[in-house]
Amino acid sequence: MSTFAEILLNGVSLGSVYALIALGFVVIFRATEVVNFAHASLLLAGGYVTASLHDDLGFWPALLVGIAGAALVGAAVEFLVMRRYRGSDPSVLAIVTIGVDILLTTELTRRIGTDVLALGDPWGDAVLKVGPVSLAHTRIAAFVAAALLITAFLLVFRYTSWGVAMRAAAESAETAALMGVRLGRVSLGAWAVAGGLAAVAALFLTVFPTPGLERATSLAALKAFPAAILGGLDSTTGALVGGLLVGVTESLATGYQSDLTFLGRGLGDLAPYLVMVAILLVRPAGLFGTKELARV
């Protein structure tokens, strides 16, 4: 029972980090109707800046610079690239983000090389023991940070003019523009927010028990993609629920891998995608996604 509780708590913590990444996908999709395949490179950029600066600045200032740096990279991608294609079909814009991701990830992985970069976090390998259950301090910090950031985002989304403008753009971009909403600013803000969230997620994906930031870290963003899809790409609530579902599924599949050897190795990596496909077969728009209606 203690093993199950430990695996479940780790899964919830990991899922909260996936929810941060999934929220980045959702923010950009709601603002621009574009699936951002460059999100992995934003995550890698934030982690790389933090890892590069923590020796000189200290952990917390380096993290703030990393978040700001990833937000700037996101805003730059929107301003320099995506804005040039405004009005194009969303599927074309999605392909453009693939090109952006290849360029950014290639440059960042060239800089990282074969090194594994530590981010200088203050938690180290400390573990909290509550009876028979052990939980790393990094997992607790990840859950608390994700909960605070997601709550703050939902409040901003609900009560600020930027949030209202984003909701209006998500309902109908043309109507929002006619009503005076500046879609360029909404899109720019969405890319910046997504970059900042990705930088925080990069931190908690590369601290203990993970050895550090490496070339393959950007692949973690792909693990959060099922969370955004199965939750519903246009739903902030769906990002939260999808992230937790993927995290718990991955943690349980990995934790009980030894009892499921007949299914082969790497079940933890595969299980979230199996859950995504199963849910999409029943609800094609995701658990909380908006169903498209067509009059005939």
Side-chain angles (χ1 to χ4, degrees):
M1 187 62 187
S2 61
T3 301
F4 175 77
E6 196 170 297
I7 291 174
L8 185 62
L9 289 173
N10 277 295
V12 170
S13 173
L14 183 62
S16 63
V17 178
Y18 286 156
L20 282 179
I21 304 173
L23 191 57
F25 282 111
V26 170
V27 168
I28 291 178
F29 185 80
R30 285 189 67 103
T32 64
E33 296 186 350
V34 174
V35 180
N36 174 28
F37 290 104
H39 205 61
S41 58
L42 298 182
L43 185 148
L44 197 61
Y48 177 73
V49 172
T50 304
S52 301
L53 296 178
H54 75 85
D55 278 340
D56 298 324
L57 302 180
F59 171 71
W60 294 108
L63 177 60
L64 291 177
V65 175
I67 293 171
L72 282 175
V73 171
V77 170
E78 195 280 337
F79 186 76
L80 298 175
V81 181
M82 304 306 293
R83 192 163 294 194
R84 303 292 182 267
Y85 295 90
R86 182 178 294 173
S88 301
D89 188 278
S91 59
V92 174
L93 294 174
I95 294 173
V96 172
T97 64
I98 294 175
V100 171
D101 184 65
I102 292 172
L103 287 174
L104 290 177
T105 302
T106 300
E107 173 59 20
L108 289 167
T109 53
R110 184 186 69 80
R111 289 174 178 271
I112 295 172
T114 57
D115 296 334
V116 178
L117 307 178
L119 273 73
D121 66 285
W123 305 289
D125 57 357
V127 174
L128 174 69
K129 286 187 175 295
V130 180
V133 177
S134 300
L135 193 62
H137 285 190
T138 52
R139 295 298 193 196
I140 300 172
F143 178 77
V144 172
L148 290 175
L149 284 173
I150 290 173
T151 302
F153 174 81
L154 292 177
L155 290 174
V156 169
F157 190 68
R158 178 70 178 82
Y159 293 109
T160 67
S161 57
W162 179 76
V164 173
M166 178 175 284
R167 281 185 282 150
E171 290 294 329
S172 172
E174 290 184 0
T175 304
L178 291 173
M179 296 295 291
V181 173
R182 303 184 70 170
L183 298 179
R185 288 187 179 183
V186 172
S187 177
L188 191 71
W191 276 85
V193 168
L197 292 174
V200 177
L203 166 68
F204 291 112
L205 287 173
T206 54
V207 292
F208 180 78
T210 308
L213 183 78
E214 54 187 338
R215 302 174 63 163
T217 299
S218 61
L219 298 178
L222 298 179
K223 289 186 177 180
F225 193 64
I229 296 296
L230 68 86
L233 258 177
D234 61 347
S235 171
T236 51
T237 304
L240 175 60
V241 174
L244 292 175
L245 191 55
V246 166
V248 170
T249 301
E250 180 182 336
S251 185
L252 288 173
T254 304
Y256 289 100
Q257 173 75 67
S258 59
D259 298 324
L260 302 168
T261 50
F262 62 95
L263 294 175
R265 295 178 181 275
L267 183 61
D269 294 330
L270 178 63
Y273 294 95
L274 293 176
V275 172
M276 180 186 74
V277 171
I279 290 177
L280 292 182
L281 286 174
V282 181
R283 295 182 65 87
L287 291 172
F288 298 90
T290 303
K291 295 180 180 177
E292 291 191 7
L293 301 178
R295 294 181 183 276
V296 295

